[in-house]
Amino acid sequence: MSTVSLGSFDFAPYRSLSNEELTTRIQKVREDLGSKLLILGHHYQQDEVIELSDLRGDSYQLSKMAAESSDCRYIVFCGVHFMAETADILANRPEKIEERNGQRVTVVLPDMAAGCSMADMAAIDQVENAWDDLGEVIDTNDITPVTYINSAASLKSFVGKHGGIVCTSSNADKALKWAFSRTSRVLFFPDQHLGRNTALTMGITEDQMPVWNPYAGDLGGSTEAQLVDSKVILWQGHCSVHQMFKKEHVDAFRRNHPGIKILVHPECMREVNEIADVSGSTGKIIETVRKAPAGTKWAIGTELHLVNRLKKEHPEQEIHFLSPVVCMCATMYRIDLAHLCWSLENLAAGTPVNEIYVDDETAKWSRVALERMLEVSA
Ligand code: 13P
Ligand code: SF4
């Protein structure tokens, strides 16, 4: 959800400004707004955007930062749409609004086209239909819905209403444990790989994880027996970036670079994830490299901008990109200095553009599911 305002300044002229000019103008707005402004940057952002961010992090860290922000009145989110929605929900909790004497934090996404193709693979009507269909064969009181944070606020709200929880790639195991302490089954969406990789580490087997295809008609393409015997019903969604890393890439690196360690994000497929040396969120990937001794050799399977930044920041190590083809997140890449400058100058002029606003009812139930996540991860 978002509100549309034309703003005081058109975007077109910003395209022709140099990065130096844009940086100077962005810095000017940062100085003018001071602590009222918080620019958050996800690790997949371009270097020049990261350099101008006040705080950077993975999805979990950024949602905590939004939840904890106190002085700020504006959050400009350099990331994708679901992240800005989450920031709006958490920064504008009723107790926070009260602390600010009724003032909301304005959350802005510099380019509205910065979505997430994985999040788009589960629409609320598809999830509601799946829930109703599941109710025909199993008791839905015995299913906990778990949504990856990479999902629209409407799905988080569905999860909150149905006793479920949100997770990120850094706490999916905790969220699944929490879910299994309540019910014997989980419906996990939208990323089948994160769901499968996490459940496998808990001893759940592949045959207990049917995949729900929202386009397959009856019972999402599974048989009644498969659903009755299931532990985790996985939504058929994936990240198009992380799907690009293949087992043969891992094999080739191991063959050609003896001693190399493979470090991947859990959105990668099972065949890649289970032969990797380390699997974890973007935050964990950064920490793992940071703590490794000089001379360590890595092949890293996650978004290109982060891997290139790690190469620059750790010249004492040997870092390779796991895939031979370029795989970058095209939507994260939409946030550039021109969009950042344009959105900041409109904000400073009092005519915010690209404001992300989640309606009260959706925000209320999403918050329930998000707060459960923050609690289990604390
Ligand atoms: P993180 O939770 O590791 O930040 O991942 C977000 C994401 O979109 C990965 O594709
Ligand atoms: Fe979505 Fe994949 Fe991009 Fe992450 S990397 S924002 S999951 S498309």
Side-chain angles (χ1 to χ4, degrees):
M1 276 150 255
S2 48
T3 48
V4 178
S5 145
L6 293 179
S8 298
F9 312 110
D10 287 343
F11 176 64
Y14 288 80
R15 280 188 204 282
S16 51
L17 299 175
S18 68
N19 275 4
E20 287 72 36
E21 286 169 300
L22 290 164
T23 301
T24 308
R25 286 169 62 163
I26 290 168
Q27 292 290 28
K28 167 91 174 63
V29 178
R30 292 179 81 198
E31 276 157 34
D32 290 350
L33 294 180
S35 62
K36 279 201 233 156
L37 172 67
L38 181 62
I39 303 180
L40 296 178
H42 186 267
H43 293 309
Y44 291 164
Q45 291 290 299
Q46 304 177 50
D47 284 352
E48 52 265 42
V49 172
I50 283 291
E51 270 153 35
L52 291 163
S53 300
D54 297 300
L55 299 169
R56 64 171 103 165
D58 65 16
S59 320
Y60 173 68
Q61 292 160 337
L62 291 169
S63 48
K64 269 193 76 189
M65 289 164 189
E68 285 161 9
S69 62
S70 44
D71 286 358
C72 84
R73 294 293 173 269
Y74 315 107
I75 292 179
V76 173
F77 212 116
C78 299
V80 287
H81 194 267
F82 72 81
M83 295 178 176
E85 276 190 336
T86 304
D88 178 50
I89 294 163
L90 291 174
N92 288 311
R93 304 196 297 291
E95 64 273 24
K96 281 284 182 183
I97 293 185
E98 207 179 298
E99 251 176 52
R100 291 184 224 108
N101 300 320
Q103 263 194 298
R104 286 183 66 86
V105 169
T106 300
V107 178
V108 165
L109 180 66
D111 184 344
M112 280 305 202
C116 165
S117 54
M118 174 206 284
D120 294 341
M121 289 177 194
I124 184 62
D125 54 327
Q126 292 176 321
V127 171
E128 282 170 348
N129 288 340
W131 193 255
D132 291 345
D133 289 357
L134 284 169
E136 302 284 320
V137 289
I138 39 186
D139 178 6
T140 47
N141 289 318
D142 194 30
I143 309 178
T144 300
V146 179
T147 188
Y148 190 19
I149 199 163
N150 298 33
S151 56
S154 53
L155 270 75
K156 295 185 178 83
S157 169
F158 173 92
V159 161
K161 268 188 209 156
H162 291 85
I165 188 166
V166 174
C167 73
T168 72
S169 54
S170 65
N171 53 32
D173 53 342
K174 291 185 180 132
L176 280 189
K177 273 184 204 130
W178 180 90
F180 282 121
S181 71
R182 276 157 179 75
T183 58
S184 59
R185 268 193 207 86
V186 162
L187 170 62
F188 190 98
F189 43 84
D191 185 20
Q192 59 173 301
H193 301 299
L194 177 65
R196 182 181 292 111
N197 290 331
T198 311
L200 285 166
T201 64
M202 297 168 72
I204 297 168
T205 54
E206 186 92 46
D207 59 337
Q208 295 172 312
M209 294 189 257
V211 177
W212 187 278
N213 173 358
Y215 300 100
D218 276 356
L219 302 183
S222 293
T223 62
E224 188 171 331
Q226 283 170 322
L227 294 173
V228 169
D229 293 340
S230 68
K231 293 290 288 173
V232 180
I233 301 161
L234 298 168
W235 194 264
Q236 192 172 298
H238 64 266
C239 166
S240 38
V241 178
H242 290 90
Q243 280 251 125
M244 306 281 275
F245 301 105
K246 301 275 179 338
K247 181 180 178 301
E248 50 269 32
H249 303 152
V250 176
D251 295 341
F253 267 109
R254 289 224 165 105
R255 223 176 19 251
N256 300 328
H257 301 262
I260 199 158
K261 290 191 185 308
I262 310 294
L263 177 50
V264 300
H265 195 279
E267 286 175 15
C268 292
M269 291 179 282
R270 175 184 179 170
E271 308 84 279
V272 172
N273 198 77
E274 65 189 4
I275 58 170
D277 295 286
V278 188
S279 162
S281 70
T282 52
K284 181 169 171 184
I285 290 173
I286 292 167
E287 264 311 284
T288 306
V289 174
R290 199 182 58 80
K291 287 186 184 147
T296 308
K297 288 191 260 176
W298 298 106
I300 305 183
T302 195
E303 208 273 344
L304 185 65
H305 288 88
L306 173 55
V307 180
N308 283 343
R309 188 171 315 120
L310 283 169
K311 272 190 212 177
K312 263 193 247 158
E313 288 174 354
H314 293 280
E316 81 290 359
Q317 299 185 42
E318 186 183 314
I319 296 177
H320 302 265
F321 189 58
L322 180 58
S323 169
V325 293
V326 171
C327 20
M328 55 168 231
C329 180
T331 48
M332 285 273 184
Y333 188 67
R334 294 199 70 103
I335 310 293
D336 54 13
L337 291 189
H339 283 92
L340 182 56
C341 187
W342 170 68
S343 57
L344 283 172
E345 290 189 343
N346 274 301
L347 197 56
T351 52
V353 288
N354 295 0
E355 204 179 329
I356 303 295
Y357 170 77
V358 178
D359 70 80
D360 288 349
E361 180 67 10
T362 308
K364 179 176 110 184
W365 286 107
S366 301
R367 207 155 41 233
V368 169
L370 281 162
E371 281 174 351
R372 286 181 184 138
M373 172 190 81
L374 293 173
E375 227 166 86
V376 302
S377 317

